[in-house]
Amino acid sequence: RTVELMGTRDNAKNIDLSDVLPEEVEEKVKEAAEISMGTEISQEDIFNINHLCEQIVEIQEYRQQLYEYLKHRMVAVAPNLTILVGELVGARLISHAGSLLNLAKHPASTVQILGAEKALFKALKTKHDTPKYGLIYHASLVGQAGTKMKGKVSRMLAAKAALACRVDALGEETNTDLGMEHRAKLESRIRQLESGNITRISGTAKQSAKFDRHETKSEVVEYKAAADVTMPKKRTFGEEEGEAEKPAAKKIKVED
């Protein structure tokens, strides 16, 4: 835009470039135009340069329009995924998988290395370490993490992104509560990892559980053979009167 407005360097003094450049940069450009040494440009060259400048400006405006369109479409189609990984990375993941439903069918381990298939198969073939991240590397959360933490953060982000994809693809509601909650958890976990306060997220219930000691009981109840008979016996009137109370089950003590 500056070249399109200025034309040749002879017009640098008389042209106001405040709409395109900030004041400091504008002063430096005008000073450089006075000092610069170069060959004279013919009218035909100026015409071609101006035409090229117009094309570049149009491409830049079209790129901005595409970005705005992509942002609105991603918020409408996959809002939770957009909150976690951003518009561009989310759109690349969906494009690579083929559709949002196909992406929702992938496990978190596949989402993590999606886009790095060549490196994965090469590592498997040569028996080297497999890649830790693919397209998800360009997400803002992975970029904020340190170099040593990028693998862990990409794994955690892929797990949450896989859940967000399934909610966006198969969920009936279109709210963004899940994405906001998962992003807050990831940010707090990244802060914990960077500060060095590593705490276990899972397995705390096993640590707090107390197992009772199994003790063998020394008393054994004697088996009653009469309990096998379920049919009641016929009794006479005289037997019922003279019948004494049945003795209780004997308990035999077993010495250790």
Side-chain angles (χ1 to χ4, degrees):
R1 290 181 180 178
T2 305
V3 174
E4 187 180 2
L5 288 172
M6 185 184 296
T8 58
R9 65 172 181 266
D10 301 332
N11 305 327
K13 293 181 180 179
N14 304 325
I15 290 178
D16 184 19
L17 301 173
S18 58
D19 297 337
V20 182
L21 300 174
E23 294 181 1
E24 298 177 357
V25 180
E26 183 183 358
E27 292 177 1
K28 291 180 180 179
V29 167
K30 289 183 177 181
E31 290 177 2
E34 294 177 2
I35 302 169
S36 70
M37 297 174 62
T39 58
E40 296 295 329
I41 301 173
S42 63
Q43 198 67 28
E44 185 180 357
D45 291 338
I46 292 175
F47 176 78
N48 291 327
I49 290 170
N50 287 333
H51 184 61
L52 181 61
C53 291
E54 290 174 2
Q55 287 182 344
I56 292 171
V57 171
E58 288 176 1
I59 291 170
Q60 186 68 25
E61 292 175 355
Y62 179 60
R63 182 183 180 185
Q64 190 65 28
Q65 290 176 3
L66 277 179
Y67 179 72
E68 291 295 328
Y69 168 76
L70 181 66
K71 187 189 294 183
H72 293 307
R73 289 301 297 164
M74 283 298 294
V75 170
V77 173
N80 293 297
L81 181 64
T82 304
I83 289 173
L84 282 173
V85 299
E87 297 89 3
L88 288 173
V89 179
R92 286 176 181 173
L93 287 172
I94 293 172
S95 174
H96 197 84
S99 67
L100 182 62
L101 189 60
N102 289 344
L103 184 62
K105 292 176 183 177
H106 289 318
S109 57
T110 307
V111 174
Q112 181 181 352
I113 59 169
L114 207 64
E117 287 84 2
K118 287 185 179 180
L120 173 66
F121 292 125
K122 185 179 179 181
L124 292 174
K125 189 176 180 180
T126 57
K127 296 182 180 180
H128 288 299
D129 294 336
T130 54
K132 295 180 180 178
Y133 28 69
L135 291 170
I136 209 166
Y137 178 81
H138 302 287
S140 59
L141 286 173
V142 181
Q144 291 172 7
T147 308
K148 295 181 179 179
M149 297 294 176
K150 286 188 187 297
K152 286 184 179 180
V153 175
S154 63
R155 185 173 66 248
M156 293 188 293
L157 182 59
K160 301 301 183 186
L163 292 175
C165 289
R166 289 160 195 168
V167 171
D168 291 333
L170 307 171
E172 296 178 357
E173 299 179 359
T174 57
N175 55 4
T176 58
D177 296 340
L178 183 85
M180 297 290 287
E181 182 183 352
H182 285 342
R183 188 177 179 90
K185 285 182 180 178
L186 285 171
E187 288 175 349
S188 64
R189 183 63 177 160
I190 290 169
R191 285 195 295 269
Q192 282 182 0
L193 290 171
E194 288 178 347
S195 61
N197 299 327
I198 300 173
T199 56
R200 291 186 65 183
I201 295 176
S202 61
T204 52
K206 292 181 180 179
Q207 292 176 359
S208 61
K210 294 179 180 178
F211 297 98
D212 296 331
R213 185 181 176 184
H214 180 69
E215 296 179 357
T216 56
K217 295 180 180 179
S218 60
E219 294 183 356
V220 179
V221 180
E222 187 181 10
Y223 176 73
K224 291 185 290 185
D228 291 342
V229 182
T230 57
M231 297 294 291
K233 290 182 179 181
K234 293 182 179 179
R235 301 175 183 177
T236 60
F237 182 75
E239 290 179 356
E240 291 179 0
E241 289 181 353
E243 188 180 9
E245 294 181 357
K246 291 184 178 181
K250 296 180 181 179
K251 295 183 178 179
I252 302 170
K253 291 187 177 180
V254 180
E255 295 181 359
D256 294 339

